[in-house]
Amino acid sequence: MQQLSVRHLLGIKDLTPADIALIFETADNFKEVLSRTIKKVPSLRDITIANVFFENSTRTRLSFELAEKRLSADVINFSASGSSVKKGETLLDTVNNILAMKVDMIVMRHASAGAPHFLSRHIKANIVNAGDGTHEHPTQALLDSFSIRERYGEVAGKKVAIIGDILHSRVALSNIFALKKLGAEVMVCGPITLLPRYISELGVKVELDVRKALAWCDVANVLRIQLERQQMKYFPSLREYTLYYGIDKKLLDSLNKEITIMHPGPINRGVELSSDAADSHHSIILNQVENGVAIRMAVLYLLASQVA
Amino acid sequence: MRKKTAMQKRLIVSDQLLDIMLQRLAHQLIENHVDFSESVILGLQPRGIYLAERLEQKLNAILGFPVRTGALDITFHRDDFRRRENPLTANATRINFHIENQNVILVDDVLYTGRSVRAALDAMIAYGRPAKVELLVLIDRRYTRHLPIEAMYVGKYVNSLPSEKVLVEWKAPDNPEDNVWLITKNEEL
C-alpha cells in the first residue's frame, strides 16, 4: 500500500521518483477504466472539487473536469472573467469563500508564479496546480513523461529536446524536473533570448540550432510561442522564428532516424510546427491529450485518499 | 508484567485436501456449465486470481480446452476508500472477452463481509450485462457477512472470529505447498 509523499500537487520539484512511479501505475489502471463501456468509477463520490481558473484554458480545464466526473466527484467551475475578482476580491478571500461551501479539493490555474504555494499555506483543502504563471504545470509534465513511457516502454535513458520559448514556459520547467527525476537526458533549444540565463544549472544541455537538437534527440517536445506573455520583442518576427526554429515534415524526413514529436497545445500551426509535421506519424500530440485524463484521475485519486 | 502478542497459525486445509477441493469445484462448475461456450471465469484482484488460475488449469485438464478466464480489479469500486488508514493500490484488470450475455463465475479466495463481492458486481457491470452471475470461493467464513451475499460454490465453510484471519497460500517458487491457515492473534500476560 503506497501513498504520495505530498498533500498537494504544487510542482514536480516536490515529488520523489517513487511518487511519479505510483502516479503512472495508477494512471495505467485509469486508462483501462477509460476503455470500458462505462467509463466511470465511484471512488470520489463523496468529494467536491472546485476548478478555479484565473487564466484561460481549454484543454487543461476540460481534462480536469472530465477526470473529476469519471471519478464521480462533484464539480464546480470558477473562472476569473465574470466573477467578483473583477470587483477587487483577494485571492485568499475568493478561495475561502469557495471553501466555505464545503469543497474538499482545489484545482487552480493562476497567472502568478507561486499562487498555489501561497494558498497551500493558508487553507486546508488539497491543491492541484494546473499552471502558475511561468513556473510549473505539473500534470502536463506527468502526462508528457507518461506518453514517452507509453511510446518507448520507459523514460530512463531517453533523449528529450524541449524546443521553443523556454523562458516563458511552465511546461518546460516541469518537464525538466520530471524527465531528470525519471533518468532521461534533457536538452533545451531555442533562440538565446528565450532561454533563461542559468538554465544549464538544472543539468540540461543547451543548443541554439534546432537541426542539431533534432539530430540528437529521441523525442522533441515543441512548445508554443507565448505571445501573450511577451511584453517586449524577443525575436524580430514570427516569420523569422519559423524560418529558424519551425519544424516541418521536410526537416523531420531529412534526419536519418525516427523521432517522436510532442506538443502541449495549443499549436500555432505554421509557426513552431507545420501542419504536415503535427499530423504526421511522428506526432503523439493527441495521445498526450488522451493520457491527460488518466494522469489527472490518478493525481486526484491519490490526493483524495488524504482528504480528512 | 509485559504484554506480548503471540500469533497462532492453525492449518485448516492441507495441500492434499486443497487439491481434492479444487477437483470437486471444477466438476461442480462443469455440471452447471457443461462446455463453457457461454461461461467465463473472473478472478478478483488481488488474491482471487490465483484460485481462478488454478481452476482454469483443472478445467483445462478435465475438458481438454481452455476456459476464458480474466482478472477483475475492484479497487475503484470499493466502499472503504478514504475510510481506511492505508490507501488502496490498484491492480490490473485483464478481460479479453465480452461478458455481455455470458454466464460469469466470480472467483475469490475468502468470502468474509461480502463487501468485495459487492464492489466486484459494480466493477463487472461496467463491462456489460451478463446473463447470469455466480460466485465461487475457496473459504466461506460463516456468520460474518455485512451484506446479503452468498456463494454458489464453496470449498470449505469455516467458523471464525472477527479477530482471526484466513490466509490462503499458493504454491510458488518460495513456497512448496498450497495451504490454508487460520491465524489468531492472542494477547498473553
Side-chain angles (χ1 to χ4, degrees):
Chain A
M1 301 283 179
Q2 291 172 283
Q3 196 160 10
L4 290 181
S5 66
V6 289
R7 270 199 71 232
H8 311 281
L9 180 65
L10 300 177
I12 302 289
K13 198 178 180 181
D14 314 319
L15 297 182
T16 64
D19 288 332
I20 300 178
L22 177 60
I23 292 170
F24 284 3
E25 279 162 32
T26 312
D28 282 334
N29 291 299
F30 281 122
K31 224 184 147 178
E32 185 274 321
V33 168
L34 294 175
S35 69
R36 294 181 190 173
T37 324
I38 299 171
K39 302 166 183 57
K40 201 174 168 90
V41 291
S43 303
L44 264 59
R45 73 190 139 197
D46 47 359
I47 298 258
T48 307
I49 304 176
N51 297 319
V52 184
F53 278 70
F54 290 96
E55 222 186 32
N56 293 336
S57 163
T58 320
R59 227 169 322 272
T60 307
R61 200 167 99 167
L62 286 179
S63 183
F64 265 112
E65 190 170 343
L66 203 52
E68 289 149 7
K69 288 181 170 166
R70 299 277 196 235
L71 288 165
S72 305
D74 289 319
V75 181
I76 53 173
N77 285 304
F78 168 95
S79 55
S81 53
S83 74
S84 289
V85 174
K86 292 267 182 292
K87 299 176 193 162
E89 194 174 48
T90 66
L91 172 61
L92 195 54
D93 281 340
T94 304
V95 173
N96 270 329
N97 273 283
I98 295 170
L99 291 179
M101 301 177 207
K102 306 282 182 229
V103 168
D104 305 294
M105 298 175 80
I106 300 269
V107 174
M108 186 172 86
R109 168 166 289 189
H110 201 279
S112 301
H117 304 69
F118 161 77
L119 267 192
S120 73
R121 290 193 292 272
H122 291 94
I123 64 170
K124 230 178 75 219
N126 301 60
I127 300 171
V128 180
N129 181 3
D132 58 332
T134 58
H135 180 218
E136 280 226 47
H137 190 353
T139 54
Q140 179 69 41
L142 288 169
L143 74 90
D144 286 348
S145 288
F146 185 77
S147 303
I148 295 173
R149 170 179 172 268
E150 188 177 68
R151 179 89 166 199
Y152 292 101
E154 61 174 349
V155 180
K158 292 286 160 297
K159 293 174 172 173
V160 183
I162 305 171
I163 299 168
D165 183 354
I166 312 295
L167 186 63
H168 297 95
S169 175
R170 52 191 172 214
V171 177
L173 190 60
S174 287
N175 254 292
I176 291 169
F177 287 138
L179 292 165
K180 297 291 290 178
K181 281 177 199 237
L182 293 169
E185 286 185 66
V186 187
M187 175 186 277
V188 294
C189 172
I192 191 84
T193 49
L194 289 175
L195 296 178
R197 187 173 290 177
Y198 299 108
I199 191 81
S200 58
E201 303 274 305
L202 294 174
V204 300
K205 293 184 169 59
V206 178
E207 176 61 63
L208 299 177
D209 185 340
V210 75
R211 279 163 199 80
K212 283 186 188 157
L214 291 177
W216 172 83
C217 71
D218 302 309
V219 179
N221 199 345
V222 187
L223 305 178
R224 182 174 62 94
I225 289 299
Q226 306 204 23
L227 290 171
E228 77 275 17
R229 290 195 206 282
Q230 299 178 1
Q231 271 95 44
M232 51 180 270
K233 286 278 186 190
Y234 289 87
F235 46 83
S237 71
L238 266 185
R239 192 160 163 270
E240 187 168 324
Y241 181 85
T242 307
L243 210 56
Y244 284 95
Y245 287 95
I247 295 170
D248 56 17
K249 193 82 180 19
K250 216 174 106 197
L251 179 56
L252 291 176
D253 289 340
S254 73
L255 305 166
N256 49 13
K257 61 171 187 177
E258 281 286 301
I259 66 164
T260 301
I261 296 288
M262 297 174 51
H263 194 297
I267 308 176
N268 290 324
R269 276 179 188 264
V271 181
E272 67 268 5
L273 209 53
S274 73
S275 277
D276 54 2
D279 304 331
S280 70
H281 68 279
H282 296 278
S283 154
I284 54 165
I285 294 170
L286 292 176
N287 301 54
Q288 289 174 266
V289 180
E290 185 191 340
N291 289 336
V293 179
I295 280 286
R296 291 181 174 112
M297 284 173 83
V299 166
L300 293 167
Y301 175 80
L302 291 167
L303 289 179
S305 67
Q306 303 175 25
V307 171
Chain B
M1 282 268 224
R2 198 159 58 91
K3 265 190 183 178
K4 65 175 180 187
T5 48
M7 223 173 52
Q8 263 184 15
K9 216 173 160 189
R10 190 160 64 85
L11 187 67
I12 49 175
V13 183
S14 67
D15 187 74
Q16 209 182 0
L17 188 59
L18 203 134
D19 191 63
I20 296 168
M21 227 176 237
L22 285 175
Q23 199 76 24
R24 167 170 58 85
L25 290 170
H27 279 109
Q28 283 181 331
L29 285 178
I30 295 170
E31 209 178 340
N32 283 349
H33 296 273
V34 195
D35 62 352
F36 285 84
S37 59
E38 298 200 332
S39 302
V40 299
I41 294 175
L42 283 185
L44 304 197
Q45 288 274 25
R47 305 196 50 92
I49 57 165
Y50 303 108
L51 176 59
E53 223 169 79
R54 285 306 184 80
L55 274 174
E56 205 269 332
Q57 288 166 6
K58 280 269 181 260
L59 289 168
N60 200 345
I62 301 165
L63 298 165
F65 55 84
V67 173
R68 289 170 293 167
T69 306
L72 180 67
D73 184 57
I74 60 164
T75 310
F76 302 130
H77 296 268
R78 290 180 64 123
D79 57 7
D80 56 352
F81 178 59
R82 304 202 307 111
R83 287 170 184 80
R84 48 191 292 146
E85 295 203 352
N86 294 316
L88 299 157
T89 313
N91 293 293
T93 292
R94 289 185 301 272
I95 303 179
N96 307 319
F97 40 79
H98 284 292
I99 63 163
E100 188 81 25
N101 278 327
Q102 302 292 304
N103 302 312
V104 176
I105 304 149
L106 293 177
V107 173
D108 207 355
D109 58 351
V110 181
L111 178 58
Y112 180 38
T113 60
R115 285 179 190 265
S116 296
V117 176
R118 200 251 357 124
L121 288 169
D122 255 15
M124 182 193 59
I125 296 298
Y127 290 89
R129 182 182 184 274
K132 192 177 174 192
V133 186
E134 296 177 346
L135 177 63
L136 181 151
V137 296
L138 191 62
I139 303 295
D140 183 343
R141 297 180 64 172
R142 272 196 291 203
Y143 316 124
T144 55
R145 220 71 79 235
H146 293 177
L147 296 166
I149 284 170
E150 290 305 327
M152 267 190 85
Y153 311 93
V154 177
K156 185 183 171 68
Y157 291 98
V158 172
N159 292 328
S160 61
L161 297 168
S163 59
E164 292 169 325
K165 209 184 149 191
V166 176
L167 178 68
V168 181
E169 283 183 338
W170 297 103
K171 209 175 284 172
D174 56 342
N175 184 39
E177 325 193 291
D178 296 329
N179 282 316
V180 183
W181 304 90
L182 187 67
I183 298 174
T184 317
K185 271 185 191 162
N186 279 342
E187 282 208 345
E188 291 169 1
L189 281 178

